[in-house]
Amino acid sequence: KDYEDLNYAISELHGLSSGSIRLGAFSSISSGRLPQIIKSFHELYPHIDFQLVNGEYNQIATWLRKGLVDCGFVSLPAPNDLEASFLLQDNLVVILPENHPLADAPVYPVERLSSEDFINLKEEQEYEITKFLDHLQQKPNIRYEVSDDYAILSMVEHGLGVSILSELVLQGRRDNVLRLPLDPPACRRIGIAVQSLEEAAPAVGEFIRYSRRIVAELHQ
């Protein structure tokens, strides 16, 4: 508490008592970890406003280069012309119907995907899933392709197949599906990026530092 009080006092001296941050984010972090970060940040800086712009990885990188957003979430490694800091690791998991034969298994062997009806997420921003599937020796048996995470959850819940999603997408949800870690495991690394941290506004720099600290505390 003393540390936060001191940070707030210093921030006021640097003009952080008010302002606006334009933030680029992809859908899974917008619905997962971001609301918690913004809420706790607002407790320290209640007069700093956010303009949240949703997009895909490449869009966010382009917006940063053009100055259309002040900072944004990206997949690591980030493009070389951006300054990015590691934020969190997001694991990929298999989503199964509740009556699946592996309901009580500790993990899901990836080679089994070739013998199951697979629901594929056709979306550029989740290219880690596509990259993971492309590197499998035995390709999944893709029966359906959709562009919405929550449509996939509904389809799996109704027994139409299995799928792979990130844990961020599933955070806080109570769908009637099972989640199993992959064997071997797979994940994506998410960072927060700016065009130049040295040239960023004080509010932007403080939000980046705060985001890294609060996420690290949540994952302890």
Side-chain angles (χ1 to χ4, degrees):
K1 181 65 167 62
D2 291 339
Y3 174 80
E4 291 179 347
D5 289 343
L6 178 61
N7 256 359
Y8 184 72
I10 293 172
S11 297
E12 282 193 312
L13 293 175
H14 288 279
L16 289 185
S17 56
S18 63
S20 179
I21 298 174
R22 299 168 300 170
L23 178 61
F26 47 91
S27 61
S28 55
I29 199 163
S30 293
S31 61
R33 189 62 73 190
L34 184 57
Q36 193 172 10
I37 295 173
I38 291 179
K39 180 182 178 181
S40 57
F41 186 77
H42 266 160
E43 292 174 358
L44 287 177
Y45 310 108
H47 302 297
I48 293 180
D49 300 322
F50 284 86
Q51 299 175 27
L52 183 60
V53 187
N54 283 326
E56 299 175 352
Y57 296 140
N58 292 336
Q59 287 178 309
I60 294 170
T62 299
W63 294 338
L64 285 167
R65 296 184 186 103
K66 293 182 176 180
L68 300 178
V69 295
D70 301 306
C71 58
F73 296 98
V74 295
S75 176
L76 298 178
N80 293 331
D81 58 344
L82 300 176
E83 291 187 34
S85 305
F86 172 78
L87 190 66
L88 59 90
Q89 177 174 296
D90 185 21
N91 295 320
L92 303 183
V93 295
V94 173
I95 309 301
L96 309 170
E98 290 185 318
N99 61 353
H100 193 275
L102 294 183
D104 297 323
V107 295
Y108 183 95
V110 294
E111 62 268 15
R112 188 184 172 100
L113 290 173
S114 62
S115 60
E116 304 235 37
D117 289 343
F118 188 80
I119 306 167
N120 191 39
L121 179 63
K122 194 69 173 179
E123 193 169 15
E124 183 183 348
Q125 69 180 38
E126 303 291 356
Y127 72 87
E128 288 94 348
I129 296 176
T130 301
K131 184 168 63 175
F132 171 77
L133 296 176
D134 287 344
H135 282 81
L136 295 179
Q137 290 186 347
Q138 293 177 291
K139 303 303 179 185
N141 178 34
I142 297 175
R143 289 292 306 274
Y144 308 96
E145 286 193 331
V146 299
S147 58
D148 182 83
D149 300 312
Y150 306 118
I152 285 181
L153 287 168
S154 180
M155 293 173 74
V156 172
E157 188 174 353
H158 285 83
L160 293 174
V162 305
S163 190
I164 294 177
L165 292 175
S166 74
E167 287 185 332
L168 267 182
V169 172
L170 303 169
Q171 186 178 349
R173 294 190 60 87
R174 291 175 172 80
D175 303 89
N176 296 319
V177 297
L178 302 174
R179 313 170 188 183
L180 284 184
L182 287 162
D183 182 25
C187 68
R188 62 176 175 175
R189 299 175 72 249
I190 296 173
I192 186 166
V194 292
Q195 197 171 40
S196 169
L197 188 57
E198 184 176 341
E199 298 175 5
V204 175
E206 179 63 14
F207 176 73
I208 291 173
R209 288 187 289 272
Y210 184 83
S211 298
R212 294 179 63 193
R213 183 165 67 87
I214 195 68
V215 170
E217 289 175 358
L218 291 170
H219 283 78
Q220 284 180 350

